[in-house]
Amino acid sequence: DDDRSHGHNLALGVGQPSQLPLQLQYKTSAMHRYSIYRTPVAPATLLHSTLLIAAIAIIGSAINIDAFVIAPRTSSLQRHSSSLLHSENSATGTFNGSTILDRITINDKIIVRDTTAEERGKGGVQVVAAGDSGGSGDAVSIKALEVVARIPRELVISPVDMPPRAWDSVSKGRNLTWATELTAAALAVLHPTEEEMDQTKKEWVQSWKTGGWGSTSDLGQDIAADLVGPSLLTTGTDNDHNIYAKFRMPCHPTNFKAALGLKLLTKCSDEDAIKAMATRGFTYRSMRDALNKLVFMPTERVNKGTLKDKRCWDVADTFDRVISRATTLELENADDTISPSRAIVPIHEHLSHSLNENTRLVSVPDEVLLVATRDIEPGEPITRNYVLDAPRLKCDDESLKGTALDLLLQFGLPPSAWPQ
């Protein structure tokens, strides 16, 4: 909706470029196919996988966790010594500036391209359609229970795998939450010690350029100019309500203007917008001082600030991008127990959103599988349901779950993904 005709003097956007207030511009972009090799899997794993994924299709509506662990555990040698589970590709090349696809095995019916600015980092994975650039032969659908992608377990970001130094930082936070833990895990990947270095994984996290809504690129110049730091997260304090009450304002003036913009964008109330932004800001500030020490070399910015300020701003950016990508996944802990963990999984973390999602994650020994839950037709995007599979912040209003405000503010999803 374009509310400029109503006399509002706010320049806000939900994508790049944001010169047109409250609108998205849609553009096409070339799609790229990647060269392949095949990876076999043992019959025992095939049987267990098929039975388990069938269970997901039958009772998926009653499941709260989007992945399961298959037992008994088999060795990598066994699992890769027999026939193919499905025809799959080891993708090569860059994706959004990262070489992460070099280590992921992708079904040869899938095409992967860089996301466009208008997609805000969500999309770019779909079933090959007839005539797609780089496609070959007739377009073929993905069948229910077919493996879409196989992601090596070591590429998954989760607190389960955090180094002790990251856990030490987390323990010093004001509130111990999943968001604090997962942000610390991502920061440890971005700023590793020599022993922890995984260059591909680091480049993948560095390629995250989008998160929720509220960065400088999302805001009009009159709002962006008043930011303290690079985003709304870094603007304001936990005591803003009391500080600005004497001016008859409910929060920091910059956040108040942004709340009015969110009201225009998502048709929510200004009270809901203020509360949702306050929840994000409080969660960030509760981890800011504890996690900034994990930032070895802060990002150089136009914003002026001390070294500590810049480290804190990097924590804010990472937190914002983490909560827009997170899911819940059953993973093995250090004591060999299996439990739900918050995680970020390559490919899955930037899929398009749909309430009728067509994939789920399944955890197997040494890998995470992205599996089709229904038939997916040629040209159809590969999707996940952010409303169901993404964890929520502790103080989030459950009544706002799945609304346009929720989908934009936490996940950065464009209007095409909002409820109509």
Side-chain angles (χ1 to χ4, degrees):
D1 292 353
D2 185 352
D3 285 283
R4 288 174 295 172
S5 61
H6 297 178
H8 299 292
N9 191 29
L10 291 170
L12 300 110
V14 290
Q16 288 285 356
S18 59
Q19 289 87 344
L20 296 181
L22 316 178
Q23 294 187 17
L24 274 179
Q25 299 178 1
Y26 291 93
K27 300 178 182 178
T28 59
S29 86
M31 298 181 180
H32 305 284
R33 272 311 277 274
Y34 299 97
S35 59
I36 65 169
Y37 67 82
R38 298 178 179 235
T39 305
V41 64
T45 299
L46 170 60
L47 177 60
H48 282 102
S49 299
T50 304
L51 291 175
L52 183 58
I53 299 167
I56 295 176
I58 295 171
I59 62 173
S61 61
I63 300 299
N64 293 322
I65 300 169
D66 68 348
F68 301 82
V69 173
I70 295 176
R73 180 181 291 276
T74 58
S75 70
S76 298
L77 181 61
Q78 286 178 300
R79 290 189 301 104
H80 297 292
S81 62
S82 188
S83 61
L84 284 171
L85 178 59
H86 294 287
S87 177
E88 296 168 335
N89 308 338
S90 177
T92 60
T94 59
F95 174 71
N96 286 345
S98 165
T99 58
I100 194 74
L101 290 180
D102 291 347
R103 291 166 62 179
I104 296 175
T105 306
I106 298 179
N107 192 304
D108 61 7
K109 301 173 188 176
I110 296 297
I111 195 167
V112 181
R113 60 167 171 78
D114 287 354
T115 54
T116 65
E118 290 75 20
E119 291 171 321
R120 296 182 59 87
K122 307 295 187 185
V125 185
Q126 68 182 64
V127 181
V128 176
D132 276 344
S133 175
S136 60
D138 297 331
V140 181
S141 64
I142 294 280
K143 299 302 181 183
L145 309 184
E146 192 167 348
V147 174
V148 174
R150 305 165 66 96
I151 300 99
R153 171 65 184 80
E154 67 267 16
L155 292 182
V156 175
I157 295 177
S158 170
V160 170
D161 309 310
M162 276 200 305
R165 65 185 181 89
W167 277 114
D168 182 59
S169 293
V170 167
S171 67
K172 297 174 182 176
R174 287 189 350 221
N175 293 291
L176 187 59
T177 67
W178 71 264
T180 303
E181 293 178 356
L182 195 53
T183 301
L187 286 170
V189 172
L190 269 174
H191 304 274
T193 63
E194 187 174 345
E195 295 77 16
E196 299 163 1
M197 172 62 76
D198 184 330
Q199 188 62 36
T200 299
K201 199 170 178 179
K202 178 180 178 180
E203 289 176 356
W204 167 50
V205 179
Q206 287 175 329
S207 73
W208 300 350
K209 302 302 182 186
T210 58
W213 185 88
S215 66
T216 302
S217 59
D218 293 325
L219 305 171
Q221 186 56 42
D222 63 322
I223 298 179
D226 295 331
L227 291 176
V228 179
S231 70
L232 291 171
L233 279 174
T234 57
T235 302
T237 71
D238 292 338
N239 198 36
D240 280 352
H241 178 75
N242 294 326
I243 293 173
Y244 293 101
K246 58 186 176 183
F247 302 111
R248 297 188 178 182
M249 296 191 70
C251 61
H252 191 287
T254 303
N255 288 334
F256 184 58
K257 287 194 290 183
L260 295 178
L262 279 174
K263 180 179 180 180
L264 296 176
L265 284 169
T266 66
K267 310 307 179 188
C268 69
S269 68
D270 50 2
E271 292 86 357
D272 285 341
I274 290 170
K275 183 178 179 181
M277 288 195 299
T279 296
R280 283 163 48 88
F282 174 80
T283 305
Y284 157 65
R285 288 186 290 272
S286 72
M287 70 177 73
R288 174 187 59 195
D289 294 334
L291 301 191
N292 77 76
K293 298 175 181 61
L294 294 174
V295 179
F296 295 157
M297 294 291 292
T299 304
E300 287 299 323
R301 303 175 184 269
V302 175
N303 310 74
K304 295 181 179 179
T306 65
L307 180 61
K308 180 180 178 180
D309 288 337
K310 293 178 180 179
R311 284 174 170 161
C312 290
W313 296 341
D314 277 4
V315 173
D317 285 347
T318 304
F319 162 65
D320 181 42
R321 294 162 189 174
V322 159
I323 64 173
S324 73
R325 290 166 167 79
T327 189
T328 303
L329 186 64
E330 292 268 351
L331 294 175
E332 184 176 1
N333 300 304
D335 59 0
D336 295 330
T337 60
I338 305 295
S339 63
S341 178
R342 312 310 184 188
I344 302 175
V345 182
I347 295 292
H348 180 264
E349 46 92 14
H350 69 264
L351 294 180
S352 300
H353 168 67
S354 174
L355 294 178
N356 184 29
E357 75 276 19
N358 51 35
T359 60
R360 303 286 293 268
L361 289 174
V362 178
S363 183
V364 299
D366 303 325
E367 289 181 321
V368 174
L369 306 181
L370 184 63
V371 180
T373 56
R374 59 175 175 81
D375 290 354
I376 312 174
E377 298 305 315
E380 185 178 351
I382 304 301
T383 60
R384 60 179 279 196
N385 188 337
Y386 287 85
V387 177
L388 291 182
D389 73 20
R392 322 302 295 182
L393 297 180
K394 186 175 181 180
C395 298
D396 271 341
D397 187 340
E398 280 295 315
S399 67
L400 297 177
K401 189 174 182 179
T403 63
L405 173 63
D406 176 50
L407 296 179
L408 175 61
L409 193 58
Q410 177 166 340
F411 308 108
L413 290 165
S416 59
W418 301 352
Q420 302 300 314

